[in-house]
Amino acid sequence: MANSRRRRRENSIGGGGGGGGDSISSLPDELLQQILCLMPTKFAVRTSLLSKRWRRICMIQDRYTAPKMMSLYLRTGMASTVKHINRWIELAKSRKVENMSLQLKFKTSKYTFPDSFYTDSFLKELKVSIFYTDMIPRGSVSWTSLKKFSLSYCRLSDESLATILSGCPVLQSLTLYFCNELRVLDLSNSSSLRTLRVDRNYSAPTPMQIVAPHIHCLKLMNSQLPCTLVDVSSLAEAKLDFWYGSLHGTEADSVRKMQELLEKLHNVEKLTLGENFLQILSLPKLRGLPFPVFNVQALKLETFLFEYVIPPGIERLLQNSHYLKRLTLHARTCKNEVGFRWSNSRRDAESKHVATFIELMFKSIKTLEKMVVRLKDCYLEARGFKEMVQTLPHNNNDNVSIVFSDTRYK
Amino acid sequence: MSEKKIVLKSSDGKTIDVAKAVALQSQTITHMVEDSCVGNEIPFENVTGQVLAKVIEYCKKHVVVDGETLTCKTVAHVIHTRTIDEIRTFFNVENDYTPRKKQ
């Protein structure tokens, strides 16, 4: 293929490094650099092996404007790299990078972000994991374009977070993963913030308060001391769970905390409750828990499908959801009353459990329009499943549709 | 490589600065440089500024290799997808590295 395109020419002596009169080697450096800019750096750098001249060309970077650098992803734990991190950050800033992800896991050496890190008008998404150290901006913070901020494992204090947030006027999404030093998360001045995600450390010893009057969407993973939602007055969508299916504290304490939590959630239109949350709602020590009336329209429950009974917490939840239109059950396996896991060979019998459970659900909900049951695909393929579906009560109620889908798709 | 720039002047008085090496990709400009270069400025009496700008743009994006006019993208594609040896053969690049002495 190459031969048919090439025309042999007499070699000229000297010139730019060998080759014919108008071979590639006679092209000026500027053009060769421009050509190298059109491919990934890895391949451009390879050309330094061609000849000494090509090596020289690879080295010169400042002649042409480099292609736009979109994001910086930096992940290191080696102490020897600490001195280079600031240079990478400066490079990203000079290239107007919009997306930065920095995972810094230094066990002994400490790393402090330079002051210049906190001023950047191009950054739109920032993700920082900074193990064992904290992020303390010494001066002011100015991230005027930042829309998404995610911080993990950081020993961030309330004051540091407040300083950071005051420099992010257009922040829309905040994620805090295992930031255990926070006591009060005050987002009242973050008027653009719509999505908040907080994962507390499973052994977090002290509770946390959340003041977030503007957020529409909350995802919360609680430790055994649940967070206090002081103000979530704009909340429309929430997904909550606990790391464990138990609660610390006395019966009176637990009832009070869960009551407060449920009160704050009663206006949420789209609510997802995880396995452990539902298990807690059914704990004997929460027998006396008063349930508010829920305005929820779409409820998603991650739960086991019990054979003969709906857990009391779920039952009461459904009884207090007078406007529920769509219910999704996300089930992984079936359980009998004592909580054994059925082995795969009992799949066929389990389809009856599904039927019973669904019938029980229907008795509890009057307004339901659609129920979605998500099961592992092995159940959907089980013998007898299709027959079971025929027996479901939706035949009596034309307005309700029941959909089965497998758990691969969220 | 030097910073040698030349100035191209169009019929309507517009001037364009361009690196000499890039401009010389065009045969026409090369002839003009040889024939009527006054200092560093080359007049194009029958070419408007707009056209001249397009020509320079073309020069920046096309190269003449072995008598064929190729886009820079094509050349880049060859470099991207071939091995070093294949690139050497295809573009007739002489390897002027001395081999490392074996110990």
Side-chain angles (χ1 to χ4, degrees), chain A residues 270-288:
Chain A
K270 212 171 143 184
L271 189 59
T272 302
L273 299 176
E275 246 175 69
N276 290 323
F277 194 111
L278 296 170
Q279 203 168 319
I280 287 174
L281 282 184
S282 303
L283 286 174
K285 77 171 168 183
L286 289 184
R287 233 173 338 219

Side-chain angles (χ1 to χ4, degrees), chain A residues 275-370:
Chain A
E275 246 175 69
N276 290 323
F277 194 111
L278 296 170
Q279 203 168 319
I280 287 174
L281 282 184
S282 303
L283 286 174
K285 77 171 168 183
L286 289 184
R287 233 173 338 219
L289 174 68
F291 274 68
V293 170
F294 283 91
N295 291 334
V296 62
Q297 294 189 11
L299 181 64
K300 183 167 163 184
L301 304 175
E302 291 167 7
T303 181
F304 291 108
L305 301 184
F306 288 77
E307 192 176 352
Y308 296 117
V309 66
I310 305 181
I314 297 181
E315 192 169 14
R316 293 184 67 197
L317 181 64
L318 295 175
Q319 283 164 352
N320 285 286
S321 302
H322 302 162
Y323 309 98
L324 189 62
K325 292 213 181 90
R326 183 183 161 126
L327 175 67
T328 304
L329 300 175
H330 190 123
R332 263 151 287 218
T333 51
C334 289
K335 257 188 180 179
N336 68 1
E337 294 157 331
V338 273
F340 280 117
R341 293 262 168 87
W342 292 98
S343 64
N344 280 344
S345 58
R346 308 282 310 258
R347 271 194 325 254
D348 302 343
E350 284 158 12
S351 55
K352 278 194 237 145
H353 300 144
V354 176
T356 327
F357 195 76
I358 294 175
E359 278 180 41
L360 291 170
M361 291 293 228
F362 265 107
K363 287 187 184 138
S364 301
I365 318 160
K366 306 285 179 266
T367 52
L368 200 64
E369 279 170 17
K370 184 166 180 176

Side-chain angles (χ1 to χ4, degrees), chain A residues 1-2 5-9 11 17-20 22-25 27-31 34-36 38-40 43 46-56 63-64, chain B residues 1-3 19 21-22 25 59-68 70 72-76 79-84 87-98:
Chain A
M1 187 170 70
R5 292 180 52 129
R6 239 185 313 139
R7 280 188 233 148
R8 293 265 170 213
R9 285 190 164 234
N11 279 347
D22 61 354
S23 79
I24 196 172
S25 304
L27 293 178
D29 285 358
E30 292 91 342
L31 276 172
Q34 181 164 310
I35 290 170
L36 291 179
L38 296 172
M39 66 190 83
F43 296 98
R46 252 186 353 153
T47 59
S48 56
L49 296 171
L50 286 171
S51 71
K52 287 179 184 168
R53 183 198 173 205
W54 278 91
R55 185 174 65 189
R56 202 165 31 84
R63 199 57 77 95
Y64 271 64
Chain B
M1 243 355 210
S2 62
E3 274 275 354
V22 173
Q25 291 299 300
C59 287
K60 282 185 181 166
K61 289 191 180 158
H62 291 77
V63 297
V64 176
V65 177
D66 293 330
E68 304 271 356
L70 306 169
C72 291
K73 267 194 202 160
T74 311
V75 178
I79 296 177
H80 186 160
T81 53
R82 306 294 175 93
T83 66
I84 292 296
I87 296 170
R88 271 218 193 91
T89 318
F90 191 89
F91 288 124
N92 209 10
V93 177
E94 191 185 297
N95 181 359
D96 58 354
Y97 283 120
T98 48

Side-chain angles (χ1 to χ4, degrees), chain A residues 49-207:
Chain A
L49 296 171
L50 286 171
S51 71
K52 287 179 184 168
R53 183 198 173 205
W54 278 91
R55 185 174 65 189
R56 202 165 31 84
I57 291 169
C58 282
M59 298 301 189
I60 304 168
Q61 278 301 307
D62 55 6
R63 199 57 77 95
Y64 271 64
T65 48
K68 180 152 169 58
M69 189 170 162
M70 289 307 296
S71 54
L72 173 71
Y73 177 75
L74 193 64
R75 180 178 157 176
T76 178
M78 288 171 56
S80 55
T81 60
V82 171
K83 57 183 181 290
H84 297 302
I85 295 176
N86 289 0
R87 287 172 64 192
W88 277 108
I89 292 175
E90 282 306 311
L91 174 70
K93 281 184 72 173
S94 69
R95 295 287 178 82
K96 304 181 185 169
V97 153
E98 290 180 6
N99 189 334
M100 254 203 255
S101 173
L102 308 169
Q103 290 184 42
L104 311 172
K105 196 171 182 176
F106 300 111
K107 286 209 177 116
T108 46
S109 31
K110 281 225 168 186
Y111 174 75
T112 319
F113 285 109
D115 290 347
S116 57
F117 175 66
Y118 295 106
T119 305
D120 190 326
S121 53
F122 300 101
L123 204 54
K124 288 194 179 146
E125 282 189 39
L126 176 63
K127 189 169 166 184
V128 176
S129 293
I130 181 157
F131 294 72
Y132 314 117
T133 49
D134 45 25
M135 217 167 133
I136 311 174
R138 275 187 300 215
S140 62
V141 173
S142 174
W143 284 330
T144 47
S145 302
L146 194 68
K147 289 198 181 150
K148 280 174 85 163
F149 182 45
S150 165
L151 194 54
S152 305
Y153 302 106
C154 184
R155 292 168 54 188
L156 190 74
S157 65
D158 292 342
E159 291 76 28
S160 298
L161 183 62
T163 312
I164 291 172
L165 291 174
S166 64
C168 304
V170 298
L171 192 66
Q172 289 174 3
S173 164
L174 176 65
T175 300
L176 297 168
Y177 189 88
F178 279 40
C179 295
N180 303 328
E181 308 283 312
L182 292 171
R183 299 283 168 268
V184 177
L185 183 56
D186 189 347
L187 304 171
S188 3
N189 291 329
S190 300
S191 52
S192 315
L193 194 68
R194 294 286 169 263
T195 307
L196 173 67
R197 182 172 168 173
V198 177
D199 279 30
R200 299 248 295 147
N201 191 343
Y202 27 75
S203 55
T206 50

